[in-house]
Amino acid sequence: ISGVLAPSMPSLMNANTVIMRALHVVGQRGSKLGWSFTADSSETTVDGSFTTYHNVHEGTYYEHGKPAYHITAGQVLLDTRSQNYTATGGVHMWAVTGEQPRDIRATDVTWSQPAQTLSFPNSVTVVYVGSVYKGNNMYINFRNGSVHSGPAAVSYHKKNKN
């Protein structure tokens, strides 16, 4: 019945993408909120396997239903089959709770869902409890908590206690 009542749709035979504007996207982890973000626009391949989101802001990743960290980026490419993503264009991630680094800024970042790794192949700055890490080719393994990096410089600034 819905097919009869639905308006006719133009053919997608030669279309390459589906475009959306002014988005609020929410993902579940089981029965709890897993992540959410807003984006100005997106393009999705017709088969639905890849979506590119533009001007991603108000991004939040939740742990146990509570905000754990936030993310903003100029663009995010999501592989909907694997849940891997690549964020580019002034990527900024910052922790709200937990032991994660408090503030990360990078030119680009890649998340591998199967490996549970966050990779920063180019320049990255991490600020954590008075220390500043500047380097490139860094990745974080969320399965075992290890951090690996290429050439880097770390500086520590002890806070004055007044």
Side-chain angles (χ1 to χ4, degrees):
I1 292 176
S2 64
V4 174
L5 299 176
S8 60
M9 297 295 288
S11 171
L12 295 176
M13 185 91 63
N14 295 323
N16 293 324
T17 59
V18 175
I19 299 171
M20 299 173 129
R21 306 228 184 271
L23 304 161
H24 181 74
V25 183
V26 175
Q28 296 289 122
R29 181 183 294 141
S31 63
K32 294 187 177 190
L33 186 58
W35 48 267
S36 68
F37 64 87
T38 58
D40 289 353
S41 63
S42 72
E43 294 96 32
T44 302
T45 56
V46 173
D47 67 359
S49 58
F50 293 96
T51 300
T52 301
Y53 297 96
H54 300 280
N55 194 22
V56 173
H57 47 96
E58 299 175 24
T60 303
Y61 175 80
Y62 297 84
E63 290 179 344
H64 311 293
K66 296 181 180 178
Y69 67 84
H70 298 297
I71 182 171
T72 61
Q75 180 172 294
V76 174
L77 172 64
L78 173 66
D79 180 338
T80 57
R81 300 163 300 176
S82 65
Q83 296 299 299
N84 294 341
Y85 71 81
T86 299
T88 59
V91 179
H92 184 198
M93 304 171 79
W94 64 101
V96 178
T97 62
E99 298 296 319
Q100 307 97 331
R102 305 318 296 166
D103 191 278
I104 300 173
R105 293 180 188 265
T107 54
D108 55 327
V109 61
T110 300
W111 170 254
S112 170
Q113 183 67 19
Q116 295 287 292
T117 57
L118 196 58
S119 302
F120 304 88
N122 296 303
S123 66
V124 59
T125 300
V126 179
V127 177
Y128 183 70
V129 191
S131 297
V132 177
Y133 164 94
K134 290 187 179 195
N136 57 43
N137 197 24
M138 181 180 92
Y139 73 92
I140 303 168
N141 183 323
F142 281 81
R143 289 193 198 278
N144 63 20
S146 63
V147 177
H148 305 264
S149 71
V154 177
S155 59
Y156 176 75
H157 303 285
K158 188 174 181 180
K159 293 183 180 181
N160 292 334
K161 294 182 181 181
N162 293 333

